[in-house]
Amino acid sequence: AQSVTQLDSQVPVFEEAPVELRCNYSSSVSVYLFWYVQYPNQGLQLLLKYLSGSTLVESINGFEAEFNKSQTSFHLRKPSVHISDTAEYFCAVSGIGGYNKLIFGAGTRLAVHP
Amino acid sequence: DAGVTQSPTHLIKTRGQQVTLRCSPKSGHDTVSWYQQALGQGPQFIFQYYEEEERQRGNFPDRFSGHQFPNYSSELNVNALLLGDSALYLCASSRGDGNQPQHFGDGTRLSIL
């Protein structure tokens, strides 16, 4: 079984400042890791994923996340945020060899202020 | 290329009623998963359909049932609705391979009065 803990329910930050959204997971098997973003009144959009290979993965809009197996973490970072990054961010895992059932954290609300 | 589409977008029901939600997967996808997202929480896995059969189920009662059709579209049925069933219901599709990321629709907002 897997579980995901997102350590911050809300993260307020000023525009152009750096941000880190923290995610830790627990699993008895190896996992794939994902970050999804949810804008108001919308579904979830895949931001980035770690399946294998390089532990640092990047998205097209400047976010990056690093898989740390020893610390069972997959924190999301962005060096400079924009107002448009305001959204809910969800970390998720799925067990390798399973049927890609996603287990989500409770989410982190990123609020970017001018 | 159409993504995952869900209908209806909003629905209001009363306790004890039954509801059916619908989902069309992204083109090329054969697997459909359903999630329940209560207000202020992360999505929770309900079940997954592949080749018209339920192949994995989360911790939800039998009041929640589903179906997948030969064209890969899917329905989620909930019987004997409770106030606690009020939530955003999300459909996600993927290809059958285990490591393929899921693509989500915009959801159906179900309100129980």
Side-chain angles (χ1 to χ4, degrees):
Chain A
Q2 294 91 39
S3 66
V4 176
T5 301
Q6 291 185 243
L7 296 155
D8 306 292
S9 60
Q10 297 185 60
V11 173
V13 64
F14 287 109
E15 194 174 18
E16 298 184 4
V19 70
E20 178 180 79
L21 307 183
R22 297 179 293 169
C23 172
N24 286 92
Y25 70 92
S26 172
S27 178
S28 56
V29 300
S30 296
V31 295
Y32 300 125
L33 294 151
F34 306 86
W35 276 98
Y36 282 86
V37 58
Q38 186 175 37
Y39 298 101
N41 301 312
Q42 293 186 24
L44 279 71
Q45 299 175 27
L46 179 66
L47 191 59
L48 44 77
K49 62 183 184 289
Y50 172 78
L51 302 181
S52 64
S54 173
T55 57
L56 184 66
V57 291
E58 300 177 353
S59 71
I60 59 173
N61 57 355
F63 283 95
E64 64 178 31
E66 186 161 17
F67 169 51
N68 188 319
K69 187 174 183 179
S70 63
Q71 297 187 4
T72 60
S73 67
F74 192 53
H75 301 332
L76 180 70
R77 303 184 184 94
K78 189 171 185 180
S80 176
V81 294
H82 303 287
I83 295 288
S84 60
D85 293 323
T86 294
E88 191 85 21
Y89 291 80
F90 292 96
C91 181
V93 302
S94 68
I96 295 175
Y99 295 125
N100 73 354
K101 172 182 80 172
L102 290 170
I103 304 299
F104 286 90
T108 297
R109 168 86 176 148
L110 175 63
V112 182
H113 301 284
Chain B
D1 180 20
V4 180
T5 58
Q6 293 186 242
S7 63
T9 54
H10 293 87
L11 203 51
I12 299 175
K13 292 287 187 178
T14 57
R15 284 178 296 174
Q17 285 189 312
Q18 177 265 342
V19 68
T20 297
L21 311 182
R22 295 176 175 82
C23 172
S24 293
K26 181 179 169 68
S27 178
H29 287 184
D30 56 8
T31 302
V32 173
S33 301
W34 287 92
Y35 294 82
Q36 180 195 66
Q37 186 180 16
L39 198 61
Q41 297 183 23
Q44 292 196 1
F45 176 77
I46 303 175
F47 43 52
Q48 183 180 89
Y49 277 84
Y50 175 70
E51 293 188 342
E52 302 180 49
E53 292 198 359
E54 181 186 295
R55 72 174 177 180
Q56 199 169 19
R57 188 179 182 91
N59 189 25
F60 278 80
D62 292 345
R63 297 187 298 110
F64 290 77
S65 63
H67 189 77
Q68 186 179 33
F69 299 94
N71 67 353
Y72 308 120
S73 67
S74 177
E75 290 182 347
L76 164 65
N77 301 292
V78 187
N79 295 323
L81 287 166
L82 304 173
L83 292 178
D85 295 331
S86 293
L88 179 68
Y89 288 85
L90 295 164
C91 171
S93 72
S94 60
R95 289 204 304 267
D97 304 6
N99 66 350
Q100 296 301 313
Q102 296 185 34
H103 296 251
F104 284 80
D106 285 340
T108 294
R109 175 73 62 187
L110 176 63
S111 299
I112 310 301
L113 302 180

